[in-house]
Amino acid sequence: MNKRTALYEKHLASNAKVIDFGGWDMPLHYGSQLNEHHIVRKDAGVFDVSHMTVVDLNGERVIEFLQYLLANNVSKIVGKTGKALYTCMLNEKGGIIDDLIVYYQAEQEFRMVVNAATRDKDLAWIEQHASNFAVSVTERTDLAMLAIQGPQAIEKITPLLPDALRDTALNLKPFTACWDDNLFIARTGYTGEDGFEIMLSNEQAPAFWDALLNANIAPIGLGARDTLRLEAGMNLYGSDMGETDTPLESNLAWTIGWKPAERNFIGRDVLEAQKANGEHSVLVGLVLKGKGVLRGHQAVYVDEAGGKGEITSGTYSPTLGVSIAFARLPAGVYEEVKVEIRNKQIPAQVVKPPFVRHGKACIDI
């Protein structure tokens, strides 16, 4: 039997189409994935993301531990209460075990949010290395997590925030968080729109969900979440990256904390060798120039000699009205490629993601 979040019955009450997602029963949509996408781009929607894994890390050597465990350097956020950092957790070969967000709460306290489908291997890897630093690892299965996203999200949620946290929450800068004993509020998201991600107890979640819907914040399923994140140029673990792909091969070089040079994080030697030779594959954005829809695993031809790569994620962009994708290609710099769709090679423009941010196009079509 699949796992269910504290909001499962609420999804059924809103006529959600429920699917299996990483061992969880989750809402794909509540009637129209397309409408839900546009709601988040133009108004405000709420996602149940309680399937994500929340982990609290504590210990005198927790900073030292995270500097070793993560490719990005947590010293960037140390001393900045509530500050968040996006990073990858790598294996010894530089492959991405998972991408995650880590929050600085106090000198010996951090909170980490990792993907649902990778929970078991993530926890095993974290605990394996945490033991060497005497760091405690606590999975917060008592918490639900909601993402309220869209240009009207903050305005609509403001009356629902507790008095003691309201002003602080409304003044949060992107990638920062605040909290009290009941709510953890972060100005983060996976849509390219403004908003909050809020953690609260499983017991509180249903009533808070109802309050959000009563504030005309629409429920949004995982289907729209996927098209929104692709438009926003955000990778999906398991599609655009995995354990055989390094950050340099996944358009995530910006998440590597190269300095200081003496910081020895897992996989660093492999990344340094890749960076030096420059012969690794690259992840790029594509916009289809002809008819068709870009889908995962379609072949991408980069030259007349038959060199090719592959689409990792692809979809029709509801905001742009064209088909867009991520593709992993051989080392090189490209302006145009051809994608095989139904035995035809259709031209596609190579672009630098994101495609859409804050409801507006970031590329020339």
Side-chain angles (χ1 to χ4, degrees), residues 61-98:
R61 299 177 64 193
V62 66
I63 295 173
E64 183 184 354
F65 163 60
L66 290 172
Q67 286 178 320
Y68 174 69
L69 182 77
L70 305 176
N72 214 336
N73 191 348
V74 296
S75 66
K76 296 175 182 178
I77 62 174
V78 168
K80 303 173 183 178
T81 303
K83 185 64 177 172
L85 184 71
Y86 175 71
T87 181
C88 293
M89 183 167 62
L90 310 179
N91 58 32
E92 291 91 345
K93 295 181 179 180
I96 302 172
I97 293 175
D98 202 4

Coordinates of all heavy atoms in Angstrom, one line a residue, residues 61-98:
R61 N 29.7 19.2 15.3 CA 30.4 19.2 14.1 C 29.5 19.2 12.9 O 30.0 18.8 11.8 CB 31.4 18.0 14.1 CG 32.4 17.9 15.2 CD 33.2 16.7 15.2 NE 34.0 16.6 14.0 CZ 34.6 15.5 13.6 NH1 34.5 14.3 14.2 NH2 35.4 15.5 12.5
V62 N 28.3 19.7 13.0 CA 27.4 19.6 11.9 C 27.8 20.4 10.7 O 27.7 20.1 9.5 CB 26.0 20.0 12.3 CG1 25.9 21.4 12.7 CG2 25.0 19.7 11.2
I63 N 28.5 21.6 10.9 CA 28.9 22.4 9.8 C 30.1 21.7 9.1 O 30.1 21.6 7.8 CB 29.4 23.8 10.3 CG1 28.2 24.6 10.9 CG2 30.1 24.6 9.2 CD1 28.6 25.9 11.6
E64 N 31.0 21.1 9.8 CA 32.1 20.4 9.2 C 31.5 19.2 8.4 O 32.0 18.9 7.3 CB 33.0 19.9 10.4 CG 34.2 19.1 9.9 CD 35.0 18.6 11.1 OE1 34.7 18.8 12.2 OE2 36.0 17.8 10.8
F65 N 30.5 18.6 9.0 CA 29.9 17.4 8.3 C 29.3 17.9 6.9 O 29.5 17.2 5.9 CB 28.8 16.8 9.2 CG 27.8 15.9 8.5 CD1 28.2 14.8 7.8 CD2 26.4 16.3 8.5 CE1 27.3 14.0 7.2 CE2 25.5 15.5 7.9 CZ 25.9 14.3 7.2
L66 N 28.5 18.9 6.9 CA 27.9 19.4 5.7 C 28.8 19.9 4.7 O 28.6 19.8 3.5 CB 26.8 20.5 6.1 CG 25.6 19.9 6.8 CD1 24.7 21.1 7.3 CD2 24.8 18.9 6.0
Q67 N 30.0 20.5 5.1 CA 31.0 20.9 4.2 C 31.6 19.7 3.5 O 32.1 19.9 2.3 CB 32.1 21.7 4.9 CG 31.6 23.1 5.3 CD 32.7 23.9 6.1 OE1 33.4 23.3 6.9 NE2 32.8 25.1 5.8
Y68 N 31.6 18.6 4.1 CA 32.1 17.4 3.5 C 31.0 16.7 2.6 O 31.3 16.2 1.6 CB 32.6 16.4 4.6 CG 33.0 15.1 4.1 CD1 34.2 14.9 3.3 CD2 32.3 13.9 4.3 CE1 34.6 13.7 2.8 CE2 32.7 12.7 3.9 CZ 33.8 12.6 3.1 OH 34.2 11.3 2.7
L69 N 29.8 16.7 3.1 CA 28.7 15.9 2.5 C 28.2 16.6 1.2 O 27.9 15.9 0.2 CB 27.5 15.8 3.5 CG 26.3 15.0 3.0 CD1 26.6 13.5 3.0 CD2 25.1 15.4 3.8
L70 N 28.2 17.9 1.2 CA 27.5 18.7 0.1 C 28.5 19.4 -0.9 O 29.6 19.8 -0.4 CB 26.6 19.7 0.7 CG 25.6 19.2 1.7 CD1 24.8 20.3 2.3 CD2 24.7 18.1 1.0
A71 N 28.1 19.4 -2.1 CA 29.0 20.1 -3.1 C 29.1 21.6 -2.9 O 30.1 22.2 -3.2 CB 28.6 19.7 -4.5
N72 N 28.0 22.2 -2.5 CA 28.0 23.6 -2.2 C 28.6 23.8 -0.8 O 28.6 22.9 0.0 CB 26.6 24.2 -2.4 CG 26.6 25.7 -2.9 OD1 27.6 26.4 -2.8 ND2 25.6 26.1 -3.5
N73 N 29.0 25.0 -0.6 CA 29.7 25.3 0.7 C 28.8 25.9 1.7 O 28.4 27.1 1.5 CB 30.9 26.2 0.5 CG 31.8 26.3 1.7 OD1 31.4 25.9 2.8 ND2 33.0 26.8 1.5
V74 N 28.4 25.2 2.8 CA 27.4 25.8 3.7 C 27.9 27.0 4.5 O 27.2 27.7 5.1 CB 26.9 24.7 4.7 CG1 26.2 23.6 4.0 CG2 28.1 24.2 5.6
S75 N 29.2 27.2 4.4 CA 29.8 28.4 5.1 C 29.1 29.7 4.5 O 29.1 30.7 5.2 CB 31.3 28.5 5.0 OG 31.7 28.7 3.6
K76 N 28.5 29.6 3.3 CA 27.8 30.8 2.7 C 26.6 31.2 3.6 O 26.2 32.3 3.5 CB 27.4 30.4 1.3 CG 28.5 30.1 0.3 CD 27.9 29.7 -1.0 CE 29.0 29.3 -2.0 NZ 28.4 28.8 -3.3
I77 N 26.1 30.2 4.3 CA 24.8 30.6 5.1 C 25.0 30.5 6.6 O 24.2 30.9 7.3 CB 23.7 29.6 4.7 CG1 24.0 28.2 5.0 CG2 23.3 29.8 3.2 CD1 22.8 27.2 4.8
V78 N 26.2 30.1 7.0 CA 26.5 30.0 8.5 C 26.4 31.3 9.1 O 27.0 32.3 8.6 CB 27.8 29.3 8.7 CG1 28.2 29.5 10.2 CG2 27.8 27.8 8.4
G79 N 25.7 31.4 10.2 CA 25.5 32.7 10.9 C 24.4 33.5 10.4 O 24.1 34.6 11.0
K80 N 23.7 33.1 9.3 CA 22.6 33.8 8.8 C 21.3 33.0 9.0 O 20.9 32.2 8.2 CB 22.8 34.0 7.3 CG 24.1 34.8 6.9 CD 24.4 34.8 5.4 CE 25.7 35.5 5.1 NZ 26.0 35.5 3.7
T81 N 20.7 33.3 10.2 CA 19.6 32.5 10.6 C 18.5 32.5 9.6 O 18.0 33.5 9.2 CB 19.1 33.0 12.0 OG1 20.1 33.0 12.9 CG2 17.9 32.1 12.5
G82 N 18.0 31.3 9.2 CA 17.0 31.1 8.2 C 17.4 31.1 6.8 O 16.6 30.8 5.9
K83 N 18.7 31.4 6.5 CA 19.2 31.4 5.1 C 19.2 30.0 4.6 O 19.6 29.0 5.3 CB 20.6 32.0 5.1 CG 21.2 32.1 3.7 CD 20.4 33.1 2.9 CE 21.0 33.3 1.5 NZ 20.1 34.1 0.6
A84 N 18.8 29.8 3.3 CA 18.8 28.5 2.6 C 19.8 28.4 1.5 O 20.3 29.5 1.0 CB 17.4 28.3 2.0
L85 N 20.2 27.2 1.2 CA 21.2 27.0 0.2 C 20.8 25.8 -0.6 O 20.4 24.7 -0.1 CB 22.6 26.6 0.8 CG 23.8 26.4 -0.1 CD1 24.2 27.8 -0.7 CD2 25.0 25.8 0.7
Y86 N 20.8 25.9 -2.0 CA 20.5 24.8 -2.9 C 21.8 24.1 -3.2 O 22.8 24.8 -3.5 CB 19.8 25.3 -4.1 CG 19.6 24.3 -5.2 CD1 18.6 23.3 -5.0 CD2 20.3 24.2 -6.4 CE1 18.4 22.3 -6.0 CE2 20.1 23.3 -7.3 CZ 19.2 22.3 -7.1 OH 19.0 21.3 -8.1
T87 N 21.8 22.8 -3.2 CA 23.1 22.1 -3.5 C 22.8 20.7 -3.9 O 21.6 20.2 -3.9 CB 23.9 22.1 -2.2 OG1 25.1 21.4 -2.5 CG2 23.2 21.3 -1.1
C88 N 23.8 20.0 -4.4 CA 23.7 18.6 -4.7 C 24.5 17.8 -3.7 O 25.5 18.3 -3.1 CB 24.3 18.3 -6.1 SG 23.3 19.0 -7.4
M89 N 24.1 16.6 -3.4 CA 24.8 15.6 -2.6 C 25.4 14.5 -3.5 O 24.6 13.9 -4.3 CB 23.9 15.0 -1.6 CG 24.5 14.0 -0.6 SD 23.3 13.7 0.8 CE 21.9 12.9 -0.1
L90 N 26.7 14.4 -3.6 CA 27.3 13.5 -4.6 C 27.9 12.3 -4.0 O 28.2 12.1 -2.8 CB 28.5 14.3 -5.2 CG 28.2 15.8 -5.7 CD1 29.4 16.4 -6.3 CD2 27.1 15.7 -6.7
N91 N 28.1 11.3 -4.9 CA 28.8 10.1 -4.6 C 30.3 10.3 -4.9 O 30.7 11.3 -5.4 CB 28.3 8.8 -5.3 CG 28.2 9.0 -6.8 OD1 29.1 9.6 -7.4 ND2 27.3 8.3 -7.4
E92 N 31.1 9.3 -4.7 CA 32.6 9.4 -4.9 C 33.0 9.6 -6.3 O 34.0 10.2 -6.6 CB 33.3 8.2 -4.3 CG 33.3 8.0 -2.8 CD 32.1 7.2 -2.3 OE1 31.2 7.0 -3.1 OE2 32.1 6.7 -1.2
K93 N 32.1 9.3 -7.2 CA 32.3 9.5 -8.7 C 31.8 10.8 -9.2 O 31.8 11.1 -10.4 CB 31.8 8.3 -9.5 CG 32.4 7.0 -9.2 CD 31.8 5.9 -10.1 CE 32.5 4.5 -9.8 NZ 31.9 3.4 -10.6
G94 N 31.3 11.6 -8.3 CA 30.8 12.9 -8.6 C 29.3 12.9 -9.1 O 28.8 13.9 -9.5
G95 N 28.7 11.7 -9.1 CA 27.3 11.6 -9.5 C 26.4 12.1 -8.5 O 26.7 12.1 -7.3
I96 N 25.2 12.6 -8.9 CA 24.3 13.3 -8.0 C 23.4 12.2 -7.3 O 22.5 11.6 -8.0 CB 23.4 14.3 -8.8 CG1 24.3 15.3 -9.5 CG2 22.4 15.0 -7.9 CD1 23.6 16.3 -10.4
I97 N 23.6 12.1 -6.0 CA 22.7 11.2 -5.3 C 21.3 11.9 -5.1 O 20.3 11.3 -5.2 CB 23.3 10.9 -3.9 CG1 24.6 10.1 -4.0 CG2 22.3 10.2 -3.0 CD1 25.3 9.8 -2.7
D98 N 21.4 13.2 -4.9 CA 20.1 14.0 -4.8 C 20.5 15.5 -4.9 O 21.6 15.9 -4.6 CB 19.3 13.7 -3.6 CG 17.9 14.0 -3.7 OD1 17.4 14.4 -4.8 OD2 17.1 13.9 -2.7

